[in-house]
Amino acid sequence: MLSWLWAGLRSLLRRPLVAVSLIATLPNGELVLIQRQDDGGWSLPGGLIDRGETVAQAAARELREETGLRLVSIERCVGIYSAPDRDPRLHSVCIALAVTVAGDLQVGDRHEVRAVASFPPDRLPSGPYSHDHARQLQDYQSGAVVIA
């Protein structure tokens, strides 16, 4: 019994988790970025999808938790990013969504987020960016739909 349980657990741990990242546009056209606590880099809001959540529910929850903003609509899927090294903490598959948001910027989870800011699309910070979020932003701006 114990060997079966350990084999099942080991099998689950070898598989990637699923996350969502949000390219969030405010009514004024600016894009919302967070500055992470762990590495100080700029990042897109987002995180792991919890058990029992849809992608849309996770997007709304993560956006609210990290930025204080409300998800108005999902505009399009920018891409699905699955490179094993895209997140140095663990292997995760990330679904990047372009979304329209509303509300006032505020840091929610201070353990994860150092700052929340918005930028005109042509004046985004030069970096550093966490994970593969610079690529996700480039793909968004090019209009591409990427599976990588």
Side-chain angles (χ1 to χ4, degrees), residues 2-15:
L2 209 48
S3 64
W4 174 83
L5 182 61
W6 177 243
L9 182 59
R10 203 170 57 216
S11 176
L12 283 174
L13 293 175
R14 288 192 341 240
R15 287 166 172 70

Side-chain angles (χ1 to χ4, degrees), residues 56-107:
Q57 288 168 333
R61 177 185 52 78
E62 286 288 346
L63 182 70
R64 184 180 61 256
E65 287 176 1
E66 293 185 353
T67 68
L69 297 170
R70 179 177 52 84
L71 179 68
V72 174
S73 64
I74 297 174
E75 302 303 324
R76 70 180 177 98
C77 180
V78 173
I80 301 170
Y81 300 85
S82 62
D85 61 348
R86 61 163 298 280
D87 183 336
R89 299 169 300 174
L90 52 95
H91 183 188
S92 64
V93 173
C94 186
I95 302 166
L97 301 173
V99 300
T100 302
V101 300
D104 297 319
L105 296 175
Q106 60 185 22
V107 174

Side-chain angles (χ1 to χ4, degrees), residues 8 17 21 26 31 36 39 42 44 50 53 61 68 75 78 80 86 98 107-108 110 113 121-122 134 144 148:
L17 298 174
S21 64
L26 291 165
L31 299 179
R36 296 178 57 87
D39 65 7
W42 289 104
L44 298 168
D50 287 343
E53 280 185 319
R61 177 185 52 78
E75 302 303 324
V78 173
I80 301 170
R86 61 163 298 280
V107 174
R110 294 202 176 272
V113 180
D122 60 345

